[in-house]
Amino acid sequence: MSTNAAPTSPPAFPPALAADQIHALRDMAVDWSLAHGLVIRALGSGPDGKSALSHSAVHAPIALFPSPFPKAGFEQARRLQPVFNTLVHEITKDSGFLSEVMDGIGDVDPFTSRLYSIYRRQLAAGLPAQSISLGVHRSDYLLHKASPTTPPTIQQVELNTIASSFGCLSSLTTGLHQYLSSKTDFYNKRDNPSTFDIVPEALPANGAREAIAGGIAEAHREYVKQQAADAEAVVVMVVQPGERNAMDQRWIEYELIERYGIKLFRRTLAEMHQSGSVSSERKLVIQTFNGPRPVSVVYFRAGYGPSDYPTDAEWSARSLIESSIAVKCPTVAQQLAGAKKVQQVLALPGQLERFLPAHDAALLRTCFTGLYSLDAGTAEGDQAFAMALKDPLKYVVKPQREGGGNNVYQADIPQFLQSLAPNERAAYILMELIEPPPMRNVLVRQGEVIQDAEVVSELGIYGIWVANGDHVVKNEAGGHLLRTKVASSHEGGVAAGFAVLDSPLLY
Ligand code: ADP
Ligand code: MG
Ligand code: MG
């Protein structure tokens, strides 16, 4: 193999350590995490002791070692991100496309249907309500190895356009691994020739926190410029009641006030319903310590699933916010553009070209895997349905949901698909299963070591987009997330309890 060729498999990693060394490393990792705010709320309140305590935290689930990840794939994912950001923007402008895709789902998915009806109402009113757009997206990838002799390439799992979490804790995880590598000689070529030298380039800096806060600050500035009278405007973060992952969110708030002097207030949808209002000039107003304040940006870390809307009050709040001139991150249109059904339609020939120049469309397509409609009564849908029944081990079935734990995998697929009425199949898509090459790592959850586990990692790249109409103010890849899970588990969410926070060690 020439020295310039991409390596086909990672070096041996992590180093073999004795149990006492692992425990010493674990203690260092846990203390660093507690001291630096790499934490989530502890459980212990509520009748079953399973709700988040408001006064107590525990280290976030972490990988003790960074995980080898091919440099070429990492760089490719970063290159794709500005194109994905543009794609989302272009889709949100195309009501014909969104209607085409959503009309089919409307009858069989009440949640998506309700979001879509807010979108249609807004459209009928002749809006969008605000020309400034802010996107904080995250595109997620798994590695795919076509054969033992080819280097692994990235394949997209999904594109998130709402409430992409863990940017701040992920930035800290990179710091944790940098600390552990500089503090120990465990993975040092001098002592351990088969491993990596951890050089700064191998553990790439992770600016997700700065990028997300920077995007919000930029959108806030655009709003203040546009609404010259709103110099006292504040940012609202819409949150879930009892959120465990609150410190990941708080870090954005602190970054905004410390770096930009911008105040951010946390509000649930229920609170927005109770005390938020829209003025005659359609300004969104909330009550603060200093009385009423106009809202420049609403950043959603809730609102992505049915359980965020237990009553009509939450839906009213969402509609109220959507109808205001506050910058929404995301708008309902941006949220719909991140639907799995949209991802599937975009994979059809010619669809990306509706929104992007041919070379950009071709670039994005390099990371697509097989995506199929399951719509009954269409040739493609019936064919995919038959394919899934015949070869279920090759596939995953996905509903229009976010947040992990919603998919149906492999052997469970036939029974699941056969339990659906034909018209209900439109609410789901079929996707080829990506099977990344397994690696080994040591995972730590609540202080407990899961030793030498066989794991796979999912890379997320944050995408930051700020524009006023079609004038692009910011379009960039902003930091990353690596989540690592035990290979035998299908799902990959950290908050959903399947994965731990990790960082890529580039080779
Ligand atoms: P969600 O929006 O709920 O996060 P995802 O599409 O990301 O939905 O699926 C959740 C998890 O399921 C992913 O993090 C990944 O671990 C796994 N997964 C999803 N799609 C695939 C796929 N095509 N191949 C392998 N694993 C997948
Ligand atoms: Mg998602
Ligand atoms: Mg996901």
Side-chain angles (χ1 to χ4, degrees):
M1 190 173 77
S2 93
T3 47
N4 289 332
T8 54
S9 54
F13 199 80
L17 297 179
D20 60 333
Q21 287 178 304
I22 291 281
H23 286 125
L25 207 55
R26 184 264 322 264
D27 292 348
M28 279 161 52
V30 168
D31 280 355
W32 191 98
S33 303
L34 294 176
H36 288 81
L38 177 45
V39 295
I40 54 177
R41 288 195 199 283
L43 293 181
S45 72
D48 56 0
K50 293 260 171 66
S51 300
L53 289 167
S54 59
H55 62 272
S56 183
V58 59
H59 76 87
I62 45 174
L64 212 44
F65 301 95
S67 288
F69 196 93
K71 189 168 176 210
F74 182 80
E75 286 171 353
Q76 175 77 346
R78 287 188 56 86
R79 258 194 305 275
L80 297 181
Q81 195 54 48
V83 188
F84 275 120
N85 298 343
T86 302
L87 175 63
V88 172
H89 179 68
E90 293 300 320
I91 291 173
T92 58
K93 295 190 311 188
D94 191 336
S95 59
F97 175 80
L98 278 175
S99 304
E100 250 169 68
V101 177
M102 292 299 151
D103 279 340
I105 305 173
D107 298 340
V108 284
D109 184 335
F111 172 71
T112 307
S113 164
R114 204 144 177 193
L115 272 180
Y116 179 46
S117 72
I118 296 178
Y119 169 73
R120 275 205 321 250
R121 212 174 317 134
Q122 203 62 31
L123 207 62
L127 304 168
Q130 171 58 272
S131 58
I132 302 165
S133 58
L134 167 63
V136 176
H137 310 314
R138 198 189 66 224
S139 182
D140 291 337
Y141 305 89
L142 287 168
L143 286 174
H144 167 74
K145 212 161 160 32
S147 84
T149 52
T150 48
T153 55
I154 51 163
Q155 291 201 327
Q156 187 182 46
V157 173
E158 62 154 347
L159 176 64
N160 294 291
T161 57
I162 181 166
S164 297
S165 59
F166 286 112
C168 297
L169 294 195
S170 174
S171 303
L172 287 164
T173 309
T174 302
L176 167 71
H177 286 143
Q178 280 162 344
Y179 159 74
L180 290 175
S181 75
S182 60
K183 189 72 192 296
T184 68
D185 286 327
F186 292 150
Y187 27 109
N188 176 328
K189 255 195 178 353
R190 191 189 56 218
D191 302 332
N192 193 356
S194 69
T195 190
F196 296 68
D197 255 334
I198 304 238
V199 291
E201 304 83 74
L203 264 174
N206 191 352
R209 178 175 75 211
E210 290 85 348
I212 295 168
I216 295 171
E218 196 71 56
H220 171 89
R221 274 198 292 265
E222 287 292 320
Y223 177 93
V224 170
K225 219 172 7 172
Q226 183 192 59
Q227 308 289 326
D230 282 354
E232 289 195 303
V234 300
V235 172
V236 165
M237 184 190 290
V238 175
V239 296
Q240 294 175 336
E243 171 67 76
R244 252 198 114 183
N245 192 25
M247 299 315 133
D248 181 54
Q249 303 172 340
R250 285 285 188 192
W251 276 114
I252 295 172
E253 175 184 338
Y254 305 150
E255 185 83 12
L256 280 174
I257 193 82
E258 287 165 16
R259 198 183 282 244
Y260 303 100
I262 298 170
K263 298 185 185 76
L264 178 149
F265 292 89
R266 297 165 68 82
R267 295 285 185 271
T268 63
L269 281 170
E271 287 164 347
M272 287 305 288
H273 176 66
Q274 251 166 16
S275 58
S277 58
V278 170
S279 74
S280 56
E281 304 150 291
R282 289 196 295 122
K283 288 183 181 175
L284 183 64
V285 177
I286 61 160
Q287 300 301 320
T288 72
F289 297 114
N290 308 103
R293 286 288 181 275
V295 176
S296 56
V297 176
V298 183
Y299 171 55
F300 286 90
R301 290 294 288 261
Y304 53 81
S307 59
D308 288 335
Y309 304 85
T311 71
D312 283 346
E314 287 81 9
W315 282 112
S316 306
R318 185 71 195 263
S319 294
L320 181 85
I321 294 168
E322 191 71 12
S323 70
S324 78
I325 57 167
V327 179
K328 276 80 61 179
C329 179
T331 58
V332 172
Q334 281 170 313
Q335 183 172 351
L336 291 173
K340 286 163 178 100
K341 186 67 192 174
V342 169
Q343 180 187 10
Q344 177 258 305
V345 171
L346 289 173
L348 293 170
Q351 292 292 329
L352 281 177
E353 284 78 2
R354 286 172 72 161
F355 305 107
L356 296 170
H359 64 278
D360 281 347
L363 184 66
L364 294 194
R365 216 170 266 121
T366 60
C367 75
F368 286 7
T369 185
L371 288 150
Y372 309 94
S373 153
L374 285 167
D375 296 7
T378 66
E380 306 79 38
D382 288 338
Q383 202 182 348
F385 182 73
M387 237 161 50
L389 294 185
K390 180 161 169 281
D391 258 335
L393 298 185
K394 287 191 186 159
Y395 301 105
V396 47
V397 169
K398 300 190 182 185
Q400 312 307 308
R401 290 290 175 275
E402 299 296 331
N406 301 301
N407 300 338
V408 181
Y409 294 89
Q410 298 186 299
D412 295 336
I413 291 175
Q415 200 193 0
F416 175 76
L417 285 185
Q418 279 160 337
S419 75
L420 296 176
N423 69 325
E424 289 173 336
R425 278 164 33 195
Y428 299 85
I429 64 157
L430 182 71
M431 185 174 186
E432 235 165 68
L433 202 69
I434 310 161
E435 297 185 87
M439 287 174 303
R440 308 204 79 83
N441 207 324
V442 179
L443 315 184
V444 186
R445 190 188 293 281
Q446 307 245 50
E448 244 175 73
V449 172
I450 305 165
Q451 192 129 2
D452 199 19
E454 186 160 277
V455 297
V456 296
S457 300
E458 181 170 341
L459 176 72
I461 301 289
Y462 294 92
I464 311 297
W465 166 275
V466 182
N468 192 341
D470 280 337
H471 170 67
V472 180
V473 179
K474 196 179 256 216
N475 180 14
E476 61 187 31
H480 56 268
L481 165 72
L482 195 75
R483 288 173 296 175
T484 290
K485 61 171 183 177
V486 180
S488 56
S489 151
H490 284 306
E491 289 276 336
V494 176
F498 302 111
V500 304
L501 298 170
D502 196 351
S503 20
L505 182 58
L506 302 183
Y507 68 88

